[in-house]
Amino acid sequence: MHTKIRPLLAECLGTFFLVFAAVGAIVSDTYRNGSIGLLGIAAAQGLALAVAVSMTMNISGGHLNPAVTIGAWSVGRIGLKDAASYIGAQLVGAILAATAVKLLYPGGATSVAVLGTPQLAIHVDLARGILIEAILTFLLGLAVMGTAVDPAAPKIAGFGIGLVMWFDILAGGQMTGAAVNPARAFGPALVTQLSGNAAWAGHAAYWIGPILGAVAAFQVYERLLLKRDG
């Protein structure tokens, strides 16, 4: 039983690590009138992901993202039952992180920032949002395969993946929030909803886009880029 619980606990804590940093940075930026800025928010999330992946990689594979888990399942690198358990653990971690920020940070800032729930920009419709999230997650998925999954990968997985998260937010943060992770969007949205505010507008983009992007990235790398013996 212990061997089954350890990966799920790692996925839960690693996702908590990431979402708390992401939501906390956005709420703090709101509280301090934009003093952190997009660059600071991107750095917070990129560094948090780099550390969280490095911390959990040898225990669970460091997925920390339902889209990554589904991408790994699509190429047979995780079974369906384990994938479902991973996703459940990731969502729990994201909900706990959003709840912690809600309880600990100033109420006015959390309300104005909508707990850091990613939202589509006013001129970005759902279809564009899905495509943007898909492309951003495709880049992240390639980094996961190329630095963490590939046996020949350099031992920089957490660092490489965190860097992609950093530039994903710089490239797409103003358009979609650059969640590239359904749990990152779901946790804050659910806690905001339970607090009496709606935060589900465009939420489908944060599931459909990342899943499409991750599956595409894993398939491309597994079938076209991965070196086979012989």
Side-chain angles (χ1 to χ4, degrees), residues 75-154:
V75 294
R77 291 188 174 272
I78 187 172
L80 181 59
K81 184 177 179 180
D82 286 339
S85 298
Y86 269 38
I87 292 170
Q90 293 155 3
L91 293 177
V92 168
I95 293 167
L96 291 175
T99 300
V101 174
K102 175 68 177 177
L103 293 175
L104 296 173
Y105 284 50
T110 60
S111 178
V112 171
V114 201
L115 263 184
T117 304
Q119 299 177 23
L120 301 180
I122 190 168
H123 295 117
V124 176
D125 59 22
L126 181 61
R128 290 191 184 199
I130 288 172
L131 289 174
I132 291 170
E133 286 289 311
I135 292 170
L136 297 176
T137 313
F138 179 79
L139 301 177
L140 184 71
L142 288 179
V144 171
M145 284 293 291
T147 66
V149 178
D150 190 335

Side-chain angles (χ1 to χ4, degrees), residues 15-219:
T15 308
F16 180 97
F17 198 115
L18 169 63
V19 175
F20 185 88
V23 173
I26 293 170
V27 172
S28 295
D29 185 60
T30 301
Y31 184 64
R32 291 299 182 186
N33 299 313
S35 60
I36 296 175
L38 183 64
L39 187 62
I41 291 170
Q45 294 189 50
L47 290 170
L49 183 59
V51 175
V53 168
S54 299
M55 178 180 73
T56 59
M57 186 181 305
N58 290 332
I59 304 171
S60 66
H63 293 192
L64 316 183
N65 182 335
V68 168
T69 297
I70 292 171
W73 168 76
S74 77
V75 294
R77 291 188 174 272
I78 187 172
L80 181 59
K81 184 177 179 180
D82 286 339
S85 298
Y86 269 38
I87 292 170
Q90 293 155 3
L91 293 177
V92 168
I95 293 167
L96 291 175
T99 300
V101 174
K102 175 68 177 177
L103 293 175
L104 296 173
Y105 284 50
T110 60
S111 178
V112 171
V114 201
L115 263 184
T117 304
Q119 299 177 23
L120 301 180
I122 190 168
H123 295 117
V124 176
D125 59 22
L126 181 61
R128 290 191 184 199
I130 288 172
L131 289 174
I132 291 170
E133 286 289 311
I135 292 170
L136 297 176
T137 313
F138 179 79
L139 301 177
L140 184 71
L142 288 179
V144 171
M145 284 293 291
T147 66
V149 178
D150 190 335
K155 306 302 181 183
I156 60 164
F159 178 71
I161 294 166
L163 281 179
V164 176
M165 186 74 251
W166 182 74
F167 72 64
D168 267 0
I169 292 172
L170 294 181
Q174 301 284 25
M175 300 296 104
T176 65
V180 301
N181 183 334
R184 160 71 185 88
F186 180 80
L190 180 63
V191 174
T192 298
Q193 180 69 51
L194 294 176
S195 302
N197 298 311
W200 298 106
H203 187 74
Y206 304 109
W207 284 88
I208 299 171
I211 290 172
L212 290 176
V215 169
F218 273 70
Q219 291 288 336

